[in-house]
Structure formats: structure tokens, C-alpha cells
Amino acid sequence: MIRSNDKSLDTVDYRRLTESQSDRIFQGSLEILESIGIHYQYSEALEIFRKGGATVDGDSVYIPTWLVQKSLSTVPKHMVIYDQTGLPAIRLGGHCAFFGNGGDLPYIIDHRTGTRRNGILQDVYDLMNLLESLDNIDFVMSGFLPKDIPTDKVECMQMQAMLRCTNKPILYESTEILSVQKSVAMAEVVAGGAEYLRRKPFAVCYINVANPLRHNPESVNKLIWLSQKGLPVIYTPSHVTRGISTPITAAGFLALNSAAVLSGLVLSQLVREGTPFIGDSCAASTFEMQHMVGLLAAPEMRGFNEELLHFYGLPGFGDGGMTGAKAIDTQSGFETALTLITSVQAGAGLIHDVGYMDNGNLGSLPQMVICDEIISWVRAYMKPLVVTEETLALDVIREVAAREGNFLGIDHTLRHFREDHYPFLVDRMSYDSWVAKGSRTLNEKACVYVDQILEAPPKNLLSSELEKAIQAIVD
Amino acid sequence: MESIIKSIYENVVVGNRHEVELGVNQALAVDIDPGRILREGLLEAMNEVGDRFEHGDIFIPEMLIAAQSMQAGLDILKPHLLSEELKTSSGKVVLGTAKGDLHDIGINLVAMMLEGAGFEVIHLGSDVSTEKFLDSIKENVPEILGMSALLTTTMPNMKLVIEALENTGLRSSVRVIVGGAPVTQGYAQEIGADGYAPDASRAVKLVRVLLS
């Protein structure tokens, strides 16, 4: 038999905005760009905008629609981020989901004592060794902001730790242009030179603009410098400030936030056409008006920013796996799981901040292990239904129906049962077996796993030659 | 010679029934001692399968096809085994599910695993009445009676069998073990059973411990 006109749903068909809704928000963004204007507090940027065809008045930039459309046509819609050995690791573009932790958490719950304390450099190393072992983590960020090293060395030493402990792609951030330059210099050493890093980028800079209407000089400087080098950038203008630096309403937030993203896109493409530019598909936007807290796991906005980036065809930098909880508890479990599954369904791209607790103030190594478990569940949930003769199994049903017995001991079951999800730590035992194994909770089991990983002697993935060159940059 | 036995062992472990049958026939053709084929090729392989299951390396369907391929090998071997060797089988076990309970997937697996471990199994199937259990015990004189229940409503019927064994003076002649999803160690003690196992692999271990 040959079938025709067959269609399958390969993934969930999840939409939060229609084309026309996206288009109306886009129109709003274009009006903001063209007639309200965005402040760029950096003279080099103003010059680039002016030469490129925008109108500049003082530090206000008015970007015509044609320039936005041109930039959307020159920016790569798909890009590959490599691992540190030069192998393709992340194929970014369209609806996709890759997972990584977040950066710069000030506090950690020390899993050995259960107490909250300042993060230190050793925590960054421990975390990197742990993340290297977790199969569902696709990229890494610095994790903690170490309090035990000089402030001016923090970003370099975080980068050094990531290069030493893992081969996974790195997303790095830094406030000063100097440390961005140092991070790039280190990445170039590992890649074998500037040209190699450009061709096979494994490190992506995450630039966080403080205010979508006023782009601060440090951020813009970084965007221009990285674009000149042709290195990929992530540009997010209004993280968790809805109601403060954007309108409180979802549509107004989206219009202003995406105007700010698009202005950064235009600048990057004016500096160098084809610069890989990753837009903001983060769902965390809510500034909570009762306790004055920027929320990471609020429900209202999930899926919208992601959808808008798909409308533009821009690769996205999203968020998921986060919680406001201060301990590994029921709240942390459900917020982490729900923010993960919504961002995966929305195809958010690079989903970062996995494992963030206390709204981005707190991290925990066992929590990362639990996140890895949740991602494996989500991965299994997202698998498509396959309808073939083999999976419809009519012959198998016929065979079993004809005799006594069941489906358990037959080849068909054996061929397919391992396609189901078997978790690593999640408990599925009978009560008696669970008691016999020590009545341990998921958190306790995650702690044991972390200890096993940390017991192993630390290894340095860098050759002594690379190690020396990188140490020189850190010093 | 070594390589033939090793190949039988390995094919039982991975559940390659056809290869096990070939291997046993080949071993018999070159006059390898049937008792040795049984012990080193089949029984030791099933020990390994039980260990792998308990470690979580293999799951039920894999344990099941290993047991099936072991049994296929045993069927070929049986006519060649001395009656002595058949009995070295460490003991006799009567099995069945509780009266009213039609769920026999688990107990079928227990039966196969016990046979795989060299026990002689008299499997009464599902929905077994107290009388049928008693008749079989009188007739076969097993060392072990194994019962299972999946339903909380049929669990008490296992207790009735134990009471009937006591009333007929048979209780001391047989060790009673129970299992099934809702059954616990605590329930086993409560109804006066001698043992409880949470899965087929541990049922084999339990029987071994009770008979040692």
C-alpha cells in the first residue's frame, strides 16, 4: 500500500499569538522605532545609525521601517553554536529548545549543610563539573557570583572555570567591555584563533540592557564591538521590569520590548551585515507590585515573547526551569516544571536560568539535578506519536488475540518498551521497596548524586599550553 | 566445548531463544554432559539475569524473554537429563493467584524465573480456589506454596488458604510465600505467611533462602 495526503503532528501545536496579533504588535514596535525614538547613550552608535539611514536627534534614534525590514533580512535565521572541541552542539532557529543554567547567582544553598551562604569560586567549579555530567544541559553559564575573589577578576575567573571543566557551549556576561574582550580572547585561544571562533562560535555574549527606551553605553559598546568581530550576541532589553520600564499590559510590554530588540538588531546589522543576533524570547517580565520583586516564574507572559521572535524569524534566548522558592519544596517543583514545559512548547530557543531559585538570587546543585530530571520528562512528553504498521501493531494484536497470554513477553514489546521514559532519580518503586531503599526523597537522592560527582578528582580539560595562555589573560 | 556453554549462557542472558536452542542441540551433539549444560549454561545465566534485573540494568520484558529462552533450552535438554539431575532442582513450588483474581502476569513471571532457577513449578494459574490449592499440595507435596493477588478485594482469599492449611494439618509441611502489587511485608506477616517478595527476581531469592 502507498498512502497519500497523510499528515502527522511531529510536536505539540502550541500557539499564544495569532499572525495578526503578532503583526499588530510588530506595527506598534515599528511606530515606536520610527516616531517615538529610542535613546542610545553612546556616540559611536549614533554615528552608525545616522550613516545607516536612521534619523538621529540628540541621543534619540528614529529607525525607519525599511531599515528594520532590511536588518531582518540580513540576520541569520538559523545558526549553529559549537562545543569547545568544534563539534556542532546547538542548532538554533525556529521552534527549538536547548537548556542551560543561568549566571551570577549571589547565594547558594550549600547542600552539605542546608544553609544559605554567599557563592564562592569553588561553587562555580563544582557546578561546572556537575553540569558536564548532566545529559539534558546543553550549554553553561557562570552560575554563581563568587564573593571570595577580587571583583575585577570575577568574570575572567568564571570563564576560566567554564573552559577548564566542560566542553559545552558557554553563554557569558559581563558589565565591562574589558572583561568581554578578555572572555573573547580566552575563547579565541581555545578555538585556535579569532577566525576559528567566528566560524565555529562556542561562546555567546549575553548583553542585558537596563531600559528598553534608553540603551546604556556599556551595553551598546559591547554590541558594537562583538558585531565588528562577527561574534554572536544575545540582546535583552527589559528583563522583569514590566510596569516599570515598560507598560504593565502585555501588548504594550511586547511592543516596547521588541522595539528595543529590533533597534539592537539594526545596530548589529549596520555594523556588520550577517552578525548572528539572538533576540529576547524570555517570558519572565513581571515586576511584582506587592513585594517589589522581579518574578521569574510568573504565569501571565509565558509564550508571548517566544511567539513574537518566531514571527520575526529571529533565534531566541528564552528562560525556564525557574522558581521564586527559597528552598527545594513543592513551589520550586511546580514552578520549575511549568516554566520549563511552557518555554519548551513555545520553542524558546536557548532556555537559560534553569535551576534559578529565589527569583534569580539563589542556586543549588541538587536543584540542577532535579531540573535535569524534569527536562527528561518534558523531552519524553514532547515526543511525537508515530503511526506506522509497526506501531499500530495490528498483526501483533491478532497474534496475541489468537492464543492465551498477553503482550508482555513478545518481541514487539521488547523492541519498543525502552522508548518509554525511565527517569534517573524520580521514585517509582512500591512503598515497601522505597522504605527498603531508605525512604529517600528526590532532594536527598539528588544530594547523593551531587556528592558522587564532586568526589571524583577534578579534571582540567585544557591542555597545559592552553592553560598557560588562558592564565596569562586572567592575570 | 567451553565456548558452546559460554554461548548458551550469553544467549540466555540476552534472551536469544533461537540461539539458545541451537546451542543446546550443538552441545548435546558433541556430548557435553547434559547436567553441565543445565547448570553452567542455563541456570547460571538466569542467576545473572536476576542480578541484572535487581541492579536495574534490565527490565521485565528482557527478564521474561531470557526466562523464555532458558525454558526453550530446558525443553530440549529434559529428555537427556537423568531423573536425578532433574530433581537436583532445588525443590518443588506450587503457584497460583488468589480466588477471584484473574491477574496472572506477575505470577507467570515468577513461575518462569523459578523454573529458570531450577525449581520444579506446578502452576495452577489464576482464580485458584482454596480446595484446588489444598488438592495440589496433597498431591504434589511441594516445599513452597506461592500465591499472589493484584486486587485488595482478593488479598483476603490468600489468608483463607493459609487457614485451611492449618485446619487440615498441612501447614507445617509447606512454606507459604505471597506477592502482588498491593501486598506488603506487613500484610504477609499479618496473614501468617512465611515470606513476601516484591518482584519475580526476589521471589527466587526468597525461595532459596526459605529452603536453605
Side-chain angles (χ1 to χ4, degrees):
Chain A
M1 176 177 54
I2 301 175
R3 306 187 64 86
S4 70
N5 287 39
D6 236 3
K7 286 187 187 68
S8 301
L9 200 56
D10 280 346
T11 67
V12 297
D13 192 9
Y14 173 93
R15 294 300 298 269
R16 287 280 272 160
L17 298 171
T18 62
E19 291 273 306
S20 59
Q21 280 180 304
S22 297
D23 200 48
R24 278 190 69 188
I25 292 163
F26 183 39
Q27 270 185 36
S29 298
L30 292 172
E31 186 171 327
I32 294 166
L33 290 168
E34 207 162 58
S35 70
I36 299 174
I38 306 266
H39 298 276
Y40 268 78
Q41 302 163 326
Y42 191 64
S43 56
E44 195 185 341
L46 297 172
E47 193 54 25
I48 295 166
F49 274 123
R50 198 186 54 76
K51 278 192 189 154
T55 303
V56 175
D57 181 6
D59 70 357
S60 289
V61 177
Y62 303 89
I63 303 171
T65 296
W66 67 265
L67 194 47
V68 175
Q69 284 167 342
K70 187 179 171 212
S71 301
L72 282 170
S73 72
T74 57
V75 67
K77 292 188 167 11
H78 300 271
M79 59 182 293
V80 179
I81 302 171
Y82 293 79
D83 72 11
Q84 294 176 45
T85 67
L87 294 172
I90 292 174
R91 292 187 172 92
L92 195 61
H95 291 71
C96 61
F98 299 92
F99 307 93
N101 63 318
D104 289 344
L105 291 167
Y107 299 105
I108 182 171
I109 304 174
D110 190 324
H111 73 283
R112 303 166 193 93
T113 60
T115 55
R116 179 178 173 126
R117 60 166 173 76
N118 286 323
I120 57 173
L121 186 61
Q122 186 59 43
D123 296 327
V124 177
Y125 278 88
D126 289 349
L127 176 65
M128 289 311 136
N129 287 325
L130 177 66
L131 295 178
E132 175 69 5
S133 81
L134 297 178
D135 290 342
N136 292 298
I137 298 298
D138 301 296
F139 62 88
V140 299
M141 293 182 67
S142 67
F144 297 102
L145 191 68
K147 283 277 160 58
D148 58 337
I149 53 176
T151 317
D152 62 335
K153 289 253 190 280
V154 163
E155 285 141 356
C156 283
M157 292 177 85
Q158 287 171 330
M159 188 71 180
Q160 187 179 32
M162 292 188 272
L163 292 170
R164 278 175 173 166
C165 300
T166 176
N167 275 328
K168 296 185 182 187
I170 293 171
L171 269 50
Y172 62 96
E173 53 188 323
S174 52
T175 39
E176 303 297 328
I177 180 76
L178 189 66
S179 17
V180 170
Q181 288 167 337
K182 282 192 171 183
S183 291
V184 168
M186 286 192 253
E188 285 174 347
V189 164
V190 171
E195 182 54 28
Y196 289 100
L197 184 65
R198 178 162 36 246
R199 272 163 46 192
K200 292 186 173 181
F202 69 78
V204 181
C205 185
Y206 165 27
I207 302 172
N208 203 342
V209 184
N211 183 327
L213 285 167
R214 283 167 231 289
H215 293 222
N216 53 310
E218 301 80 11
S219 297
V220 181
N221 189 0
K222 286 184 274 186
L223 177 60
I224 292 174
W225 188 78
L226 287 160
S227 300
Q228 282 166 343
K229 292 189 72 87
L231 291 174
V233 288
I234 294 164
Y235 202 66
T236 67
S238 35
H239 214 47
V240 290
T241 53
R242 186 165 52 88
I244 296 176
S245 58
T246 78
I248 187 83
T249 46
F253 164 86
L254 292 170
L256 179 52
N257 187 60
S258 98
V261 171
L262 292 170
S263 75
L265 168 72
V266 169
L267 181 58
S268 77
Q269 300 306 299
L270 287 176
V271 171
R272 182 180 170 131
E273 280 191 356
T275 289
F277 183 93
I278 301 168
D280 176 18
S281 60
C282 291
S285 70
T286 305
F287 193 85
E288 209 258 21
M289 299 293 175
Q290 185 183 7
H291 304 97
M292 300 293 281
V293 174
L295 298 181
L296 294 191
E300 300 86 0
M301 298 292 289
R302 302 207 66 83
F304 294 136
N305 241 340
E306 296 92 316
E307 192 89 45
L308 210 49
L309 277 201
H310 296 313
F311 181 76
Y312 298 145
L314 279 178
F317 176 66
D319 55 6
M322 312 156 299
T323 179
K326 318 299 182 279
I328 297 178
D329 61 10
T330 312
Q331 183 185 343
S332 72
F334 87 74
E335 287 186 339
T336 300
L338 292 176
T339 54
L340 268 170
I341 200 157
T342 48
S343 56
V344 169
Q345 291 187 132
L350 297 170
I351 295 171
H352 85 303
D353 284 356
V354 171
Y356 259 30
M357 302 175 69
D358 187 9
N359 291 305
N361 288 302
L362 180 66
S364 145
L365 271 52
Q367 174 69 358
M368 285 311 307
V369 180
I370 293 168
C371 287
D372 189 77
E373 281 283 271
I374 300 173
I375 296 168
S376 76
W377 192 101
V378 173
R379 199 181 291 286
Y381 158 70
M382 293 294 288
K383 269 172 49 176
L385 174 78
V386 179
V387 185
T388 61
E389 284 181 24
E390 167 71 8
T391 61
L392 207 51
L394 295 178
D395 291 342
V396 177
I397 296 167
R398 197 181 306 280
E399 184 197 317
V400 173
R403 60 171 169 82
E404 272 197 44
N406 53 54
F407 294 86
L408 189 59
I410 60 172
D411 281 347
H412 187 263
T413 305
L414 200 76
R415 273 203 298 284
H416 294 288
F417 83 93
R418 283 198 184 262
E419 292 162 14
D420 284 347
H421 172 55
Y422 282 88
F424 171 51
L425 291 179
V426 161
D427 176 65
R428 287 177 160 183
M429 290 184 283
S430 69
Y431 177 72
D432 274 354
S433 305
W434 179 71
V435 170
K437 296 248 173 180
S439 311
R440 289 187 304 175
T441 63
L442 180 59
N443 188 11
E444 286 164 349
K445 286 189 278 187
C447 286
V448 170
Y449 176 77
V450 169
D451 283 334
Q452 280 168 359
I453 293 295
L454 301 189
E455 265 170 27
K459 53 179 184 206
N460 186 345
L461 300 177
L462 296 173
S463 68
S464 58
E465 202 178 322
L466 290 179
E467 174 63 35
K468 227 182 270 173
I470 280 164
Q471 188 62 50
I473 297 169
V474 174
D475 295 338
Chain B
M1 189 159 123
E2 291 304 324
S3 69
I4 297 178
I5 291 206
K6 193 163 168 247
S7 139
I8 295 171
Y9 176 98
E10 282 165 1
N11 281 306
V12 169
V13 169
V14 299
N16 198 336
R17 177 185 181 143
H18 184 64
E19 289 297 318
V20 171
E21 288 169 343
L22 277 179
V24 171
N25 280 325
Q26 210 184 345
L28 289 171
V30 296
D31 286 333
I32 300 178
D33 170 28
R36 203 175 146 216
I37 303 173
L38 175 70
R39 286 187 308 275
E40 295 174 28
L42 301 179
L43 299 184
E44 281 179 24
M46 285 311 291
N47 279 340
E48 167 84 18
V49 168
D51 286 347
R52 287 192 187 189
F53 176 75
E54 277 175 51
H55 272 130
D57 299 333
I58 63 166
F59 298 167
I60 300 253
E62 287 146 332
M63 186 159 83
L64 192 57
I65 54 146
Q68 282 169 348
S69 52
M70 183 274 173
Q71 216 153 27
L74 189 60
D75 287 344
I76 297 172
L77 205 55
K78 261 184 187 163
H80 303 270
L81 287 168
L82 305 170
S83 51
E84 278 306 298
E85 278 163 341
L86 271 173
K87 272 185 210 146
T88 40
S89 76
S90 344
K92 209 184 272 183
V93 184
V94 166
L95 290 178
T97 73
K99 173 81 185 145
D101 206 319
L102 297 169
H103 303 88
D104 60 355
I105 291 174
I107 205 153
N108 289 345
L109 194 58
V110 171
M112 279 208 207
M113 290 300 288
L114 283 171
E115 283 184 12
F119 292 94
E120 190 183 343
V121 175
I122 297 114
H123 191 3
L124 304 178
S126 58
D127 188 16
V128 180
S129 66
T130 303
E131 296 71 41
K132 199 169 168 192
F133 273 124
L134 291 188
D135 289 346
S136 175
I137 286 165
K138 281 179 204 151
E139 185 192 330
N140 297 298
V141 201
E143 284 90 348
I144 302 280
L145 166 65
M147 294 184 286
S148 79
L150 183 77
L151 306 173
T152 47
T153 48
T154 57
M155 273 165 65
N157 294 337
M158 301 196 294
K159 189 181 178 203
L160 297 181
V161 174
I162 294 175
E163 282 169 2
L165 286 172
E166 268 160 15
N167 296 338
T168 51
L170 289 168
R171 181 68 184 88
S172 58
S173 73
V174 65
R175 307 292 190 90
V176 180
I177 63 171
V178 292
V183 180
T184 63
Q185 181 70 51
Y187 184 76
Q189 275 160 7
E190 193 184 309
I191 64 170
D194 300 299
Y196 155 81
D199 58 52
S201 169
R202 273 173 283 189
V204 173
K205 294 215 164 147
L206 174 65
V207 169
R208 283 206 185 112
V209 169
L210 288 174
L211 295 186
S212 65

